[in-house]
Each structure stands twice: as structure tokens, then as C-alpha cells.
Amino acid sequence: MTYAALALGLSLTAALASGAAQAAGASDTDADRDARWKEIAASIFKDRAIQPTETLVKVDAPKRAEDAALVPITLTMPEKDRIKAVHLVIDDNPSPYAAHVSFGPAADPGELKLRVRVNNYTNVHAVAETKDGGLYEAAKFVKASGGCSAPMGMSDEEAMKGMGDMRMKFAGDVQPGKPVEATLMIRHPNFSGMQMNQVTRDYTPARYINKVTVDYGPKNVFVMDGDISIASNPVINFAFLPEGKGPIKVTATDNQGGRWEHSFTAPTASN
């Protein structure tokens, strides 16, 4: 099953099981949350065992979100040489499977930052997948409400202006053998399908970035499959290994067939 089909299936399951979606909140017990996570994990990972960890992946998120539509998440993977991919799940969102990031040979997977929507009081799970096929999970509880249905604060037309434009920033001086930190910014409203147009009073159809591929020269840095839980105008902080030459190429697609490519000049080491 593809990521998109799985995310859609989880979304429909959440919508149909309205009791689970509506009742999820501050009154849920730990047992309720654990049962929900086990159901989601089984949908994504089938019968693969997932072990708790305090070393392979860590989730940093605010205990109470200032803006439920723009919640910063930091995933730290101290044993980065063992990491193949990371899965981000926001348990009580309408579509829980927020992102799947697979790391390529040019990646430094020690840390990944992104901004998400959080629709309710929920656990946020990160599942690290190691190169030997193991799955290890960590979680953080976040208090937020209404992030997936929060309006953009502008018309749909304004939100879509410049859609697909990209910028990239690099932090610090480049030194041989050391990873380079980068911030990728993509202009896209990432409509969730749950937001009401403030002019027409109709719901804006879902239109969101479903895949981002970043390459450094001939080598892949990462591929991220995303869903409606990724915040509007996505910002992704990542690191790559500045070995070799070539531009950084970013390709992004959305669920309505949009496709954009941009190339950025990669910084070089100052010897």
C-alpha cells in the first residue's frame, strides 16, 4: 500500500469513527491513548515490532502549542549512523500519519525540524527505522486544538500566490567532513480540506505537498512523504554532508498534480 493510500485510509477511518476523533482530548486516559496508538501503528507497520527508545530518536515539541496550526517539532537521532528513516505520527489528527522521511547517502540524519498542525490534545510519535530493519519509538504529549481546521487568514487566491516558490538558507561556515545545516522553505498553502473559506463559507478542497525530494549532486539527501498535518508554507530544517560537488536540487509535488523544481548553489568548504 502506498503512503498516500495509507494516509487516506487512516483519514477515512478517523472520520467514520467520529466518536474516536471527536472524543479525543484532555479527558482521554493513558489506556485510551495507548489503544489508539496500537491501532495506528498496526495500520502503518502491520505486525512489525516497535520498541520504545530513549537513544535512537527523541521528540521535542511544546507542551502547549501557541499556534495549533504551526507547531514546531524537532526530531533528534543521536545514533544517526544507524538511522534509515523516521516516521512522524500525530495520533489524534484526522490523518495521523504526518510524514515519512527516508534518508539518502548525502544526509546527516542527526536532527530534523518541521512545523505541523495539531488538531487535538494528542501524543506525537516518532518512529525511527534503523538500517537493519528495527523500529524504535518515542512520544511527546502536546496540548493543542483545531490546528487542521484553522483558517489561513487570507483568501484562497492570496494563499496560493507564488505556490511552489522555494528558498534555502545555510547556517555557519562549511568545514570539510562536517555536516551543513540547511533550511528549506516552500511556498504552498497545504490546504487540509477542513478549512472554511471565509468569503464563500465553503470548505477549501485539500491541496497539500505530498512529496519533497532533496538531492545534493548525484546523491540523495532525503525524501519526505507528507500529508495534511504538515503546516502551510512548509519549513524543513535538515543537514547534509558537503562531499563532492553539485547543486542542491529540490523537487516538490502535491496531491493535485502540481510539481516544482528548484536548484540552489551548495556552499563549499573554506580551506
Side-chain angles (χ1 to χ4, degrees), residues 124-142:
V124 175
H125 277 90
V127 178
E129 185 171 357
T130 56
K131 293 176 181 177
D132 61 4
L135 297 174
Y136 302 86
E137 60 98 357
K140 183 71 177 288
F141 184 68
V142 176

Side-chain angles (χ1 to χ4, degrees), residues 40-260:
I40 294 170
S43 297
I44 298 172
F45 303 105
K46 307 306 179 186
D47 57 354
R48 297 173 66 186
I50 306 175
Q51 302 179 49
T53 182
E54 295 183 356
T55 58
L56 283 171
V57 64
K58 300 178 181 179
V59 183
D60 184 26
K63 292 182 179 179
R64 184 181 295 275
E66 293 185 9
D67 184 345
L70 204 66
V71 181
I73 301 288
T74 299
L75 306 179
T76 307
M77 290 151 282
E79 298 181 44
K80 58 187 180 182
D81 291 340
R82 296 180 59 189
I83 303 301
K84 174 184 177 182
V86 65
H87 307 256
L88 179 64
V89 179
I90 305 173
D91 293 15
D92 292 307
N93 271 11
S95 184
Y97 198 3
H100 169 223
V101 180
S102 58
F103 298 103
D108 181 273
E111 184 178 86
L112 185 74
K113 296 181 180 180
L114 63 166
R115 305 183 303 186
V116 300
R117 297 175 170 124
V118 177
N119 211 50
N120 219 321
Y121 284 39
T122 184
N123 280 327
V124 175
H125 277 90
V127 178
E129 185 171 357
T130 56
K131 293 176 181 177
D132 61 4
L135 297 174
Y136 302 86
E137 60 98 357
K140 183 71 177 288
F141 184 68
V142 176
K143 297 179 180 180
S145 181
C148 293
S149 58
M152 293 285 292
M154 64 185 73
S155 69
D156 293 351
E157 291 74 18
E158 288 178 294
M160 294 174 70
K161 283 182 179 178
M163 190 164 58
D165 288 349
M166 301 183 196
R167 290 190 296 157
M168 187 173 290
K169 295 181 179 179
F170 304 97
D173 296 328
V174 180
Q175 300 180 19
K178 293 189 176 182
V180 177
E181 295 181 6
T183 302
L184 171 63
M185 294 157 278
I186 306 176
R187 178 79 173 174
H188 197 289
N190 263 23
F191 292 129
S192 67
M194 299 172 61
Q195 297 151 308
M196 181 179 288
N197 185 301
Q198 299 302 295
V199 177
T200 66
R201 310 305 292 175
D202 293 327
Y203 286 97
T204 301
R207 182 164 189 174
Y208 55 89
I209 290 177
N210 57 8
K211 185 180 288 290
V212 176
T213 302
V214 178
D215 296 308
Y216 175 64
K219 296 182 179 180
N220 178 249
V221 181
F222 70 85
V223 177
M224 184 183 85
D225 294 294
D227 202 63
I228 65 169
S229 293
I230 303 300
S232 61
N233 299 319
V235 176
I236 307 168
N237 295 79
F238 64 96
F240 67 96
L241 303 172
E243 299 171 356
K245 297 181 180 180
I248 294 181
K249 179 182 175 182
V250 181
T251 304
T253 61
D254 70 18
N255 68 314
Q256 290 195 18
R259 187 178 189 277
W260 303 272

